[in-house]
Amino acid sequence: DGGITQSPKYLFRKEGQNVTLSCEQNLNHDAMYWYRQDPGQGLRLIYYSQIVNDFQKGDIAEGYSVSREKKESFPLTVTSAQKNPTAFYLCASSYTITDTQYFGPGTRLTVL
Amino acid sequence: AQKITQTQPGMFVQEKEAVTLDCTYDTSDPSYGLFWYKQPSSGEMIFLIYQGSYDQQNATEGRYSLNFQKARKSANLVISASQLGDSAMYFCAMREGLTGNQFYFGTGTSLTVIP
C-alpha cells in the first residue's frame, strides 16, 4: 500500500529534551512538508523540502530542524529551543511543490 | 489580511441533506489552486477536491463539489446526501502562485451530521 506513515502516534517529552518525529512516504513524491496544528486552528507550515538534500523554512521554523537525506524520509526534530512544542504535527508530501498534498496520520506531541 | 477565511466555526446538517461550507480567499496572483480537506477525529487530513484558478468548470468528486466563484473569490464546498461519516472538521486551503511554496489553510469548519 502506498502512503505516508508517521511515528509515533503519541509522544511525550520532558522539557529541555530534543525529540525527533518520523515521516516516511512510498509515493515517490519529490516534495515533503511539516505542519503544526494547535487546537481550534488551521495548519501552519514549519519546513518543506522540494527535493532531496534541500529544504526551506516555513512560517514557524524557529525551534525546529529537519533533514532530507533520502527521498522517502523527512524527519522533524523539535528542539529544546521551541518554546511551546505541545501540538499535533502533520507530515505531507506531493509529487512537486505545486501538486496536491497528501497527509500522514499525524503525531501528537505533549511536553510534560 | 487572511489568505483563507472560513466564517462558519460549526455547522449541523440532517442526514441525507446537502450542506455548503463557505470559503473565501485573498490573492492577487492569477495562478492559484484551491483545496478542501476533511479531518476526522483521528486527525489525518484527507484530500477531497481541487480547483485550479484557470479551470472553467466547477470541480466535482463523487458527493463533493466545489462552487467556484472567481469574481467573488469564493470556493464553497458542497456535500450532497450527507452521511454520518461526514462528521468532521473541513479545511479550505490555497496554493498561491506558480512556485507553489505558499500554501495557506483556513481555520476550519466543524460539520456534524444529525441522524
Side-chain angles (χ1 to χ4, degrees):
Chain A
D1 277 341
I4 304 170
T5 57
Q6 291 185 242
S7 60
K9 189 171 179 63
Y10 297 96
L11 189 56
F12 298 89
R13 159 198 131 173
K14 292 182 180 179
E15 267 190 58
Q17 288 181 338
N18 292 356
V19 63
T20 298
L21 282 59
S22 168
C23 177
E24 304 275 333
Q25 55 97 2
N26 61 2
L27 300 169
N28 200 33
H29 286 173
D30 281 326
M32 296 187 74
Y33 315 79
W34 274 105
Y35 291 92
R36 169 182 172 139
Q37 186 179 29
D38 293 286
Q41 296 190 31
L43 278 63
R44 292 183 291 168
L45 182 64
I46 305 173
Y47 268 98
Y48 68 96
S49 167
Q50 296 192 57
I51 201 166
V52 174
N53 292 323
D54 175 75
F55 49 84
Q56 305 293 330
K57 292 182 179 180
D59 299 322
I60 55 165
E62 186 176 349
Y64 300 97
S65 66
V66 293
S67 62
R68 187 85 187 278
E69 297 174 1
K70 298 188 301 182
K71 188 175 186 176
E72 302 80 15
S73 178
F74 190 42
L76 173 74
T77 297
V78 185
T79 74
S80 56
Q82 168 50 232
K83 298 302 180 190
N84 186 20
T86 294
F88 187 55
Y89 291 87
L90 284 157
C91 176
S93 71
S94 60
Y95 277 113
T96 71
I97 199 77
T98 59
D99 290 312
T100 299
Q101 295 182 22
Y102 295 90
F103 285 80
T107 292
R108 195 167 298 278
L109 172 65
T110 303
V111 174
L112 304 172
Chain B
Q2 292 288 333
K3 287 288 186 181
I4 295 286
T5 302
Q6 294 181 254
T7 58
Q8 306 155 313
M11 289 281 287
F12 292 86
V13 64
Q14 203 75 38
E15 194 178 6
K16 300 180 186 176
E17 297 293 313
V19 63
T20 298
L21 306 183
D22 294 341
C23 173
T24 56
Y25 59 92
D26 180 30
T27 182
S28 57
D29 198 310
S31 297
Y32 54 90
L34 297 158
F35 304 79
W36 276 94
Y37 289 86
K38 172 184 178 181
Q39 187 178 41
S41 57
S42 60
E44 183 173 357
M45 296 284 282
I46 302 167
F47 166 70
L48 296 177
I49 197 166
Y50 166 80
Q51 179 87 41
S53 60
Y54 296 116
D55 293 343
Q56 295 296 314
Q57 294 190 330
N58 288 345
T60 60
E61 289 285 350
R63 294 186 299 110
Y64 304 107
S65 61
L66 200 152
N67 184 2
F68 182 44
Q69 297 188 41
K70 197 168 184 177
R72 297 180 61 185
K73 294 189 176 179
S74 75
N76 299 339
L77 177 70
V78 180
I79 305 174
S80 63
S82 297
Q83 302 171 357
L84 296 178
D86 293 336
S87 294
M89 284 291 292
Y90 288 81
F91 290 92
C92 180
M94 176 175 68
R95 169 193 49 79
E96 188 177 43
L98 292 175
T99 56
N101 60 337
Q102 296 300 322
F103 208 85
Y104 305 95
F105 282 84
T107 52
T109 295
S110 175
L111 177 66
T112 302
V113 180
I114 304 166

